[in-house]
Amino acid sequence: MFELNGKVALVTGCKRGIGMAMAVALAKAGADIIGVSASLELSGSEVEKAVTALGRRFKAYQCDFADRDSLYAFIRQVQKDEPVIDILVNNAGTIMRKPAAEHPDEYWDTVINTNLNAQFILTREIGKTMIERGSGKVIFTASLLTFQGGINVPGYAASKGAVGSLVKAFANEWASKGVNVNAIAPGYIATDNTAALRADQQRSTSILDRIPAGRWGEPEDFEGPIVFLASKASDYVHGTILTVDGGWMGR
């Protein structure tokens, strides 16, 4: 039920961290991978090496998800190159830190365009072909800030809160059409996005004190969840936000 042999997965934001771990996990389960991010090397990337070492095919693209023209150009090209995409992983995202009273329009627009607008458009366009075939899996990367407000990241919190509702909106319409739409909400994970938090000893200590598992998460913690939501094992799972957080939300 967890095998993905013969499937094609499009993974955004796969150059490193959680996205790379997800792409490699899907390849381990048998899927070929289409990878895209703003700065992904078109040849010779670490994620490509990891995927091809597993005997799977990897195709790389670049796209600035904050730019609408770049996004539509990517969609046109990838749909021409890969008419059938079975799995869509909306992992690309950005975070920009500044207190709300000082948060500039540029920060807000960049974060909302990348984390929300681009993900809606990409899902809508790829989802059309999934609906036509009567099958598909869409997985968004949500956040603990889908449920909380955070500190100094109003744009990020707003975007991830909206992603949670968007997942449910898509699922309500597409579940009856054979397309599963769900999300994974990472907790505090040791990636580039949390480097500033981990460098702040006071914040880092206060965060660890609230994680029942007693550690920061690692990108590899997402291998099982992503394969579950991308596979037949999750066929009756719709509109769910799966927290991978060491117990944070339970606490």
Side-chain angles (χ1 to χ4, degrees):
M1 294 184 74
F2 296 91
E3 289 183 356
L4 298 175
N5 296 327
K7 301 295 186 182
V8 175
L10 169 56
V11 184
T12 73
C14 69
K15 183 175 180 177
R16 56 184 175 269
I18 293 171
M20 178 173 172
M22 289 176 169
V24 172
L26 294 172
K28 286 179 181 177
D32 291 324
I33 306 299
I34 304 165
V36 57
S37 70
S39 59
L40 180 65
E41 299 91 338
L42 296 180
S43 179
S45 67
E46 290 303 309
V47 63
E48 178 180 5
K49 292 174 184 176
V51 168
T52 56
L54 294 165
R56 308 314 311 168
R57 181 170 60 90
F58 184 87
K59 173 70 173 174
Y61 294 85
Q62 290 183 347
C63 177
D64 178 1
F65 288 100
D67 180 81
R68 192 68 58 89
D69 291 337
S70 176
L71 173 64
Y72 275 111
F74 163 67
I75 292 171
R76 287 192 296 270
Q77 189 62 53
V78 76
Q79 289 188 316
K80 179 181 177 182
D81 296 343
E82 301 282 349
V84 176
I85 295 172
D86 303 287
I87 301 158
L88 171 61
V89 180
N90 284 310
N91 177 69
T94 191
I95 189 167
M96 305 185 85
R97 301 178 187 276
K98 221 175 231 320
E102 304 164 20
H103 211 76
D105 290 354
E106 293 77 14
Y107 277 27
W108 177 271
D109 291 343
T110 297
V111 172
I112 295 296
N113 282 331
T114 302
N115 295 5
L116 179 61
N117 295 342
Q119 298 197 19
F120 168 72
I121 292 168
L122 183 58
T123 302
R124 182 189 66 200
E125 296 304 308
I126 300 298
K128 289 177 184 178
T129 62
M130 292 180 173
I131 291 170
E132 289 172 1
R133 296 194 310 273
S135 67
K137 301 280 185 172
V138 180
I139 304 105
F140 286 78
T141 296
S143 168
L144 291 184
L145 297 198
T146 300
F147 313 101
Q148 304 170 179
I151 299 171
N152 296 331
V153 288
Y156 185 82
S159 70
K160 292 300 186 177
V163 161
S165 291
L166 187 59
V167 165
K168 297 166 191 172
F170 274 125
N172 288 344
E173 295 188 31
W174 292 1
S176 64
K177 304 179 189 301
V179 180
N180 297 73
V181 184
N182 295 288
I184 294 173
Y188 287 92
I189 313 300
T191 65
D192 292 350
N193 271 3
T194 60
L197 289 178
R198 287 180 287 119
D200 184 329
Q201 188 59 49
Q202 184 176 355
R203 290 291 306 282
S204 181
T205 299
S206 69
I207 287 168
L208 280 173
D209 285 345
R210 288 188 58 187
I211 301 175
R215 66 173 177 88
W216 288 76
E218 298 291 340
E220 291 72 25
D221 290 320
F222 295 86
E223 292 189 4
I226 192 66
V227 171
F228 167 63
L229 289 177
S231 70
K232 187 173 177 59
S234 62
D235 277 357
Y236 199 58
V237 180
H238 295 274
T240 290
I241 302 172
L242 173 61
T243 54
V244 182
D245 62 356
W248 176 281
M249 288 301 294
R251 174 74 176 271

